[in-house]
Amino acid sequence: MGIKDEISTEYMKRNDVFADAFNMLVFDGKKVIKPDELQSLDPNLLTLPFKEDNSKVKSLKRYRDVLKKLIIKKNNDAVFLLLGIENQSEMHYAMPVRNMLYDAMQYCSQIQELSEANHKNSENLTSSEFLSGLKKTDKIMPVITLTVYFGFDKWDAPKSLNEMFTDTNDAYKPFIQDYKIFVIEPQMPDEDLNKLDTNLRDIMKFIKYSRNKEAWKQFLVDERFRNFNTLAAKLLKTMTNINIKLDETKENTDMCQAMQEIIEDVRKEYIEKSNKLIAEAKANETKLRAEAKANETKLRAKINEAQSKVTEAKANEEKAKAEIIVLKERIAQLEKAAKKQNQ
């Protein structure tokens, strides 16, 4: 088991966190499952016996992350469920088969226990009961398995057995059994993550926003991080590889103080980015002013040129008018001379 698995398992074993996760899954965040209703079970070994070619019985062994028994009081009776959590720091593209195997082995384990107890008092068993190992009245506890994913990317692995199958004739599909998995992940919408009540919510959001420094910076000022569980902080440090200074002898950690260097780095980066943007803006302003001045000079030259042409045109107009007057006078003289000759 790697360090990520060890720490995430240690964290999810906490009854308050475990109950919180299942309350989100089953009851939309309502506090129906109480931490004191959970009883820890040994998750280390599940055994599925089988025979191979008439040889000796062999065992298929699997290890679960966290397994608890939920004791629900119903009227005067107690109802039991088995709840399991599988932690993932990476995507697992065969998760439906994996979780289905865990659940099936859990059912098999219950049947084994009942069978062993029944065979010790086999005199009252019918032949069918003796063959199956179960009495007709025997019942087994339901099993629900939840996958808690601590990765950065959105879970895009199959969430059902059907998603893993190759295409087949539609006629067969109603007869092909499916198995669905349930996943809590950082990339869920905030409205869903807010249904979590423990710091599991903060862990998910921390991972979700850790690649968006602006959103992350705003997120870190939340008062919930002022008194943050040290185990949860250790889990964050392990999953994100972010340098968080922790004193593991203390139960709680001020995350803002523990991450002061990171926050300072973010602040410096923000200042450098701001200064760079300001410098670029000033350079652009200077360039635009120079271009505007150059354009203004060109425009003035064009205006002066146009004004000169207008002045020249007016002068030509005045000259033309004078010439027209002279021409009219000359015509009048010619007309007068012509009249005298005719007389």
Side-chain angles (χ1 to χ4, degrees):
M1 183 182 288
I3 185 66
K4 289 184 177 181
D5 292 328
E6 289 179 7
I7 296 174
S8 60
T9 296
E10 183 182 359
Y11 176 73
M12 293 307 302
K13 277 182 179 177
R14 290 173 42 184
N15 277 5
D16 60 332
V17 177
F18 192 97
D20 190 30
F22 273 95
N23 278 329
M24 176 194 180
L25 173 68
V26 181
F27 300 106
D28 206 34
K30 296 177 183 176
K31 297 180 182 180
V32 176
I33 300 174
K34 305 295 190 299
D36 58 6
E37 295 174 338
L38 295 167
Q39 177 185 337
S40 295
L41 300 176
D42 183 8
N44 291 331
L45 181 64
L46 288 174
T47 304
L48 181 64
F50 66 96
K51 287 186 178 182
E52 190 175 74
D53 300 329
N54 296 320
S55 61
K56 293 182 180 180
V57 174
K58 295 184 178 182
S59 294
L60 175 66
K61 298 180 180 180
R62 288 292 183 272
Y63 296 86
R64 300 208 69 162
D65 288 339
V66 187
L67 182 66
K68 293 182 185 287
K69 181 189 289 185
L70 174 62
I71 306 170
I72 306 172
K73 293 180 180 179
K74 189 176 181 181
N75 299 326
N76 294 325
D77 298 324
V79 179
F80 300 96
L81 279 85
L82 294 180
L83 305 178
I85 283 182
E86 296 302 317
N87 301 307
Q88 289 295 128
S89 58
E90 300 289 341
M91 212 82 69
H92 197 305
Y93 291 97
M95 208 68 197
V97 173
R98 180 180 172 184
N99 284 4
M100 181 177 66
L101 180 58
Y102 287 148
D103 291 354
M105 292 179 74
Q106 207 72 60
Y107 290 130
C108 185
S109 177
Q110 294 184 61
I111 290 173
Q112 278 184 295
E113 291 179 8
L114 288 169
S115 179
E116 289 173 3
N118 288 335
H119 282 139
K120 288 180 181 179
N121 300 287
S122 59
E123 63 276 3
N124 295 323
L125 298 179
T126 65
S127 59
S128 295
E129 289 174 335
F130 185 85
L131 179 65
S132 62
L134 297 183
K135 296 177 183 177
K136 186 177 180 180
T137 56
D138 283 338
K139 302 292 180 183
I140 58 177
M141 291 178 283
V143 181
I144 303 174
T145 297
L146 170 62
T147 299
V148 180
Y149 170 58
F150 294 98
F152 293 102
D153 299 321
K154 184 175 178 59
W155 181 276
D156 65 357
K159 288 187 177 181
S160 70
L161 205 55
N162 273 342
E163 294 177 55
M164 299 180 66
F165 292 143
T166 56
D167 290 336
T168 188
N169 190 306
D170 288 346
Y172 296 103
K173 289 182 179 179
F175 305 98
I176 299 174
Q177 298 290 355
D178 192 15
Y179 178 90
K180 296 179 180 180
I181 67 169
F182 310 103
V183 181
I184 291 178
E185 59 164 317
Q187 296 305 324
M188 298 174 78
D190 279 0
E191 60 182 305
D192 290 331
L193 293 177
N194 287 338
K195 294 173 184 176
L196 293 166
D197 187 58
T198 63
N199 45 36
L200 179 58
R201 178 214 304 180
D202 306 305
I203 289 173
M204 290 291 160
K205 286 189 175 182
F206 187 101
I207 295 171
K208 178 177 183 176
Y209 292 116
S210 60
R211 289 181 174 178
N212 183 339
K213 288 187 176 180
E214 288 303 316
W216 191 49
K217 184 180 177 183
Q218 296 297 321
F219 175 64
L220 283 176
V221 300
D222 194 305
E223 282 298 318
R224 292 169 67 97
F225 279 94
R226 293 291 180 185
N227 196 32
F228 202 67
N229 178 264
T230 300
L231 177 58
K234 185 179 178 182
L235 176 60
L236 278 179
K237 180 178 181 179
T238 305
M239 291 298 178
T240 61
N241 291 320
I242 293 174
N243 183 24
I244 304 174
K245 293 182 179 181
L246 300 175
D247 183 352
E248 295 187 26
T249 62
K250 295 181 179 180
E251 183 178 355
N252 294 315
T253 297
D254 184 338
M255 288 287 285
C256 295
Q257 183 176 352
M259 297 180 65
Q260 195 59 47
E261 289 183 7
I262 297 173
I263 294 172
E264 183 62 23
D265 288 342
V266 172
R267 189 184 70 84
K268 287 180 180 178
E269 184 178 338
Y270 177 78
I271 292 173
E272 289 174 4
K273 186 177 179 181
S274 298
N275 290 338
K276 183 179 179 181
L277 290 173
I278 291 170
E280 289 176 355
K282 286 183 176 179
N284 287 334
E285 181 185 4
T286 301
K287 182 180 177 182
L288 289 172
R289 284 182 180 276
E291 289 177 354
K293 191 171 183 179
N295 290 334
E296 182 183 1
T297 302
K298 289 180 181 178
L299 183 59
R300 285 186 180 279
K302 287 182 179 180
I303 291 171
N304 290 336
E305 183 183 354
Q307 286 176 341
S308 292
K309 288 181 178 180
V310 169
T311 301
E312 184 181 353
K314 286 182 177 180
N316 290 335
E317 182 184 4
E318 293 299 324
K319 183 179 179 181
K321 286 179 179 180
E323 289 177 353
I324 289 171
I325 292 170
V326 172
L327 184 59
K328 285 181 177 180
E329 289 176 350
R330 180 62 179 163
I331 291 171
Q333 290 173 358
L334 289 172
E335 287 177 346
K336 188 176 181 182
K339 283 179 180 181
K340 285 180 178 181
Q341 281 184 348
N342 290 334
Q343 289 176 355

PDB file of all heavy atoms in Angstrom, residues 29 55 58 86 110 132-133 138 142 159 189-190 196 237 286 288-289 303:
ATOM      1  N   GLY A  29     -27.106  14.751   1.891  1.00  0.00           N
ATOM      2  CA  GLY A  29     -26.428  15.595   2.867  1.00  0.00           C
ATOM      3  C   GLY A  29     -27.095  15.676   4.229  1.00  0.00           C
ATOM      4  O   GLY A  29     -26.522  16.230   5.170  1.00  0.00           O
ATOM      5  N   SER A  55      -8.903 -29.867  -8.366  1.00  0.00           N
ATOM      6  CA  SER A  55      -7.760 -29.801  -7.454  1.00  0.00           C
ATOM      7  C   SER A  55      -8.231 -29.314  -6.096  1.00  0.00           C
ATOM      8  O   SER A  55      -9.426 -29.195  -5.832  1.00  0.00           O
ATOM      9  CB  SER A  55      -6.696 -28.855  -8.016  1.00  0.00           C
ATOM     10  OG  SER A  55      -7.240 -27.556  -8.152  1.00  0.00           O
ATOM     11  N   LYS A  58      -8.808 -23.412  -3.683  1.00  0.00           N
ATOM     12  CA  LYS A  58      -7.931 -22.246  -3.652  1.00  0.00           C
ATOM     13  C   LYS A  58      -8.716 -21.035  -3.176  1.00  0.00           C
ATOM     14  O   LYS A  58      -9.938 -21.094  -3.061  1.00  0.00           O
ATOM     15  CB  LYS A  58      -7.341 -21.991  -5.038  1.00  0.00           C
ATOM     16  CG  LYS A  58      -6.427 -23.104  -5.526  1.00  0.00           C
ATOM     17  CD  LYS A  58      -5.799 -22.737  -6.865  1.00  0.00           C
ATOM     18  CE  LYS A  58      -4.848 -23.824  -7.316  1.00  0.00           C
ATOM     19  NZ  LYS A  58      -4.184 -23.471  -8.606  1.00  0.00           N
ATOM     20  N   GLU A  86     -13.795   2.764  -1.071  1.00  0.00           N
ATOM     21  CA  GLU A  86     -12.555   2.534  -1.795  1.00  0.00           C
ATOM     22  C   GLU A  86     -11.979   3.895  -2.192  1.00  0.00           C
ATOM     23  O   GLU A  86     -12.654   4.694  -2.847  1.00  0.00           O
ATOM     24  CB  GLU A  86     -12.801   1.676  -3.042  1.00  0.00           C
ATOM     25  CG  GLU A  86     -13.302   0.276  -2.735  1.00  0.00           C
ATOM     26  CD  GLU A  86     -12.354  -0.503  -1.837  1.00  0.00           C
ATOM     27  OE1 GLU A  86     -11.115  -0.428  -2.074  1.00  0.00           O
ATOM     28  OE2 GLU A  86     -12.823  -1.160  -0.897  1.00  0.00           O
ATOM     29  N   GLN A 110     -20.432 -13.664   3.928  1.00  0.00           N
ATOM     30  CA  GLN A 110     -21.604 -13.827   4.804  1.00  0.00           C
ATOM     31  C   GLN A 110     -22.222 -15.214   4.656  1.00  0.00           C
ATOM     32  O   GLN A 110     -22.612 -15.847   5.645  1.00  0.00           O
ATOM     33  CB  GLN A 110     -22.648 -12.762   4.475  1.00  0.00           C
ATOM     34  CG  GLN A 110     -22.233 -11.334   4.784  1.00  0.00           C
ATOM     35  CD  GLN A 110     -23.359 -10.365   4.508  1.00  0.00           C
ATOM     36  OE1 GLN A 110     -24.433 -10.432   5.105  1.00  0.00           O
ATOM     37  NE2 GLN A 110     -23.124  -9.436   3.574  1.00  0.00           N
ATOM     38  N   SER A 132     -27.208 -26.016   0.021  1.00  0.00           N
ATOM     39  CA  SER A 132     -26.851 -24.607  -0.171  1.00  0.00           C
ATOM     40  C   SER A 132     -26.105 -24.026   1.021  1.00  0.00           C
ATOM     41  O   SER A 132     -25.423 -23.004   0.908  1.00  0.00           O
ATOM     42  CB  SER A 132     -28.109 -23.772  -0.443  1.00  0.00           C
ATOM     43  OG  SER A 132     -28.986 -23.834   0.664  1.00  0.00           O
ATOM     44  N   GLY A 133     -26.286 -24.665   2.179  1.00  0.00           N
ATOM     45  CA  GLY A 133     -25.659 -24.148   3.391  1.00  0.00           C
ATOM     46  C   GLY A 133     -26.487 -23.081   4.071  1.00  0.00           C
ATOM     47  O   GLY A 133     -26.136 -22.605   5.148  1.00  0.00           O
ATOM     48  N   ASP A 138     -32.797 -17.691   6.229  1.00  0.00           N
ATOM     49  CA  ASP A 138     -31.564 -16.919   6.386  1.00  0.00           C
ATOM     50  C   ASP A 138     -31.554 -15.687   5.470  1.00  0.00           C
ATOM     51  O   ASP A 138     -32.023 -15.739   4.335  1.00  0.00           O
ATOM     52  CB  ASP A 138     -30.338 -17.793   6.068  1.00  0.00           C
ATOM     53  CG  ASP A 138     -30.001 -18.733   7.207  1.00  0.00           C
ATOM     54  OD1 ASP A 138     -30.406 -18.462   8.349  1.00  0.00           O
ATOM     55  OD2 ASP A 138     -29.321 -19.749   6.942  1.00  0.00           O
ATOM     56  N   PRO A 142     -27.141  -6.260   3.124  1.00  0.00           N
ATOM     57  CA  PRO A 142     -26.803  -5.548   1.880  1.00  0.00           C
ATOM     58  C   PRO A 142     -25.439  -4.867   2.009  1.00  0.00           C
ATOM     59  O   PRO A 142     -25.024  -4.487   3.102  1.00  0.00           O
ATOM     60  CB  PRO A 142     -27.912  -4.516   1.726  1.00  0.00           C
ATOM     61  CG  PRO A 142     -28.995  -4.949   2.660  1.00  0.00           C
ATOM     62  CD  PRO A 142     -28.338  -5.696   3.771  1.00  0.00           C
ATOM     63  N   LYS A 159     -18.644   4.292 -14.925  1.00  0.00           N
ATOM     64  CA  LYS A 159     -19.350   4.237 -13.649  1.00  0.00           C
ATOM     65  C   LYS A 159     -20.364   3.095 -13.623  1.00  0.00           C
ATOM     66  O   LYS A 159     -21.156   2.991 -12.688  1.00  0.00           O
ATOM     67  CB  LYS A 159     -20.063   5.566 -13.377  1.00  0.00           C
ATOM     68  CG  LYS A 159     -19.119   6.711 -13.026  1.00  0.00           C
ATOM     69  CD  LYS A 159     -19.888   7.953 -12.596  1.00  0.00           C
ATOM     70  CE  LYS A 159     -18.946   9.068 -12.169  1.00  0.00           C
ATOM     71  NZ  LYS A 159     -19.691  10.271 -11.719  1.00  0.00           N
ATOM     72  N   PRO A 189     -20.003  19.565  -8.897  1.00  0.00           N
ATOM     73  CA  PRO A 189     -20.429  20.959  -8.681  1.00  0.00           C
ATOM     74  C   PRO A 189     -20.366  21.333  -7.200  1.00  0.00           C
ATOM     75  O   PRO A 189     -20.578  20.478  -6.328  1.00  0.00           O
ATOM     76  CB  PRO A 189     -21.877  20.958  -9.192  1.00  0.00           C
ATOM     77  CG  PRO A 189     -21.975  19.791 -10.116  1.00  0.00           C
ATOM     78  CD  PRO A 189     -21.036  18.750  -9.574  1.00  0.00           C
ATOM     79  N   ASP A 190     -20.083  22.595  -6.914  1.00  0.00           N
ATOM     80  CA  ASP A 190     -19.996  23.055  -5.522  1.00  0.00           C
ATOM     81  C   ASP A 190     -21.288  22.786  -4.747  1.00  0.00           C
ATOM     82  O   ASP A 190     -21.248  22.523  -3.544  1.00  0.00           O
ATOM     83  CB  ASP A 190     -19.669  24.548  -5.481  1.00  0.00           C
ATOM     84  CG  ASP A 190     -18.187  24.808  -5.677  1.00  0.00           C
ATOM     85  OD1 ASP A 190     -17.438  23.829  -5.841  1.00  0.00           O
ATOM     86  OD2 ASP A 190     -17.774  25.978  -5.659  1.00  0.00           O
ATOM     87  N   LEU A 196     -21.569  18.000   1.863  1.00  0.00           N
ATOM     88  CA  LEU A 196     -20.663  17.417   2.855  1.00  0.00           C
ATOM     89  C   LEU A 196     -20.529  18.383   4.025  1.00  0.00           C
ATOM     90  O   LEU A 196     -20.497  19.603   3.827  1.00  0.00           O
ATOM     91  CB  LEU A 196     -19.289  17.154   2.236  1.00  0.00           C
ATOM     92  CG  LEU A 196     -19.229  16.069   1.155  1.00  0.00           C
ATOM     93  CD1 LEU A 196     -17.903  16.144   0.395  1.00  0.00           C
ATOM     94  CD2 LEU A 196     -19.417  14.679   1.769  1.00  0.00           C
ATOM     95  N   LYS A 237      -1.711  17.501   1.666  1.00  0.00           N
ATOM     96  CA  LYS A 237      -0.296  17.634   1.324  1.00  0.00           C
ATOM     97  C   LYS A 237       0.162  16.454   0.467  1.00  0.00           C
ATOM     98  O   LYS A 237       0.888  16.625  -0.517  1.00  0.00           O
ATOM     99  CB  LYS A 237       0.536  17.714   2.605  1.00  0.00           C
ATOM    100  CG  LYS A 237       2.035  17.856   2.373  1.00  0.00           C
ATOM    101  CD  LYS A 237       2.783  17.967   3.695  1.00  0.00           C
ATOM    102  CE  LYS A 237       4.281  18.127   3.453  1.00  0.00           C
ATOM    103  NZ  LYS A 237       5.023  18.270   4.740  1.00  0.00           N
ATOM    104  N   THR A 286       2.397  54.721 -24.594  1.00  0.00           N
ATOM    105  CA  THR A 286       3.441  55.528 -25.233  1.00  0.00           C
ATOM    106  C   THR A 286       3.419  55.333 -26.752  1.00  0.00           C
ATOM    107  O   THR A 286       3.530  56.304 -27.527  1.00  0.00           O
ATOM    108  CB  THR A 286       4.824  55.123 -24.683  1.00  0.00           C
ATOM    109  OG1 THR A 286       4.839  55.316 -23.266  1.00  0.00           O
ATOM    110  CG2 THR A 286       5.928  55.971 -25.321  1.00  0.00           C
ATOM    111  N   LEU A 288       0.880  54.369 -28.598  1.00  0.00           N
ATOM    112  CA  LEU A 288      -0.336  54.969 -29.157  1.00  0.00           C
ATOM    113  C   LEU A 288      -0.232  56.492 -29.227  1.00  0.00           C
ATOM    114  O   LEU A 288      -0.687  57.111 -30.194  1.00  0.00           O
ATOM    115  CB  LEU A 288      -1.557  54.554 -28.315  1.00  0.00           C
ATOM    116  CG  LEU A 288      -1.979  53.089 -28.429  1.00  0.00           C
ATOM    117  CD1 LEU A 288      -3.060  52.766 -27.407  1.00  0.00           C
ATOM    118  CD2 LEU A 288      -2.483  52.787 -29.835  1.00  0.00           C
ATOM    119  N   ARG A 289       0.387  57.067 -28.169  1.00  0.00           N
ATOM    120  CA  ARG A 289       0.568  58.523 -28.168  1.00  0.00           C
ATOM    121  C   ARG A 289       1.476  58.950 -29.329  1.00  0.00           C
ATOM    122  O   ARG A 289       1.229  59.950 -30.003  1.00  0.00           O
ATOM    123  CB  ARG A 289       1.152  58.990 -26.845  1.00  0.00           C
ATOM    124  CG  ARG A 289       0.156  59.008 -25.698  1.00  0.00           C
ATOM    125  CD  ARG A 289       0.803  59.530 -24.422  1.00  0.00           C
ATOM    126  NE  ARG A 289      -0.135  59.542 -23.316  1.00  0.00           N
ATOM    127  CZ  ARG A 289      -0.998  60.518 -23.088  1.00  0.00           C
ATOM    128  NH1 ARG A 289      -1.046  61.581 -23.892  1.00  0.00           N
ATOM    129  NH2 ARG A 289      -1.815  60.456 -22.045  1.00  0.00           N
ATOM    130  N   ILE A 303      -4.006  69.117 -43.953  1.00  0.00           N
ATOM    131  CA  ILE A 303      -4.914  70.265 -43.813  1.00  0.00           C
ATOM    132  C   ILE A 303      -4.288  71.513 -44.422  1.00  0.00           C
ATOM    133  O   ILE A 303      -4.933  72.287 -45.149  1.00  0.00           O
ATOM    134  CB  ILE A 303      -5.270  70.495 -42.330  1.00  0.00           C
ATOM    135  CG1 ILE A 303      -6.155  69.336 -41.810  1.00  0.00           C
ATOM    136  CG2 ILE A 303      -5.982  71.834 -42.133  1.00  0.00           C
ATOM    137  CD1 ILE A 303      -6.389  69.360 -40.312  1.00  0.00           C
TER     138      ILE A 303
END
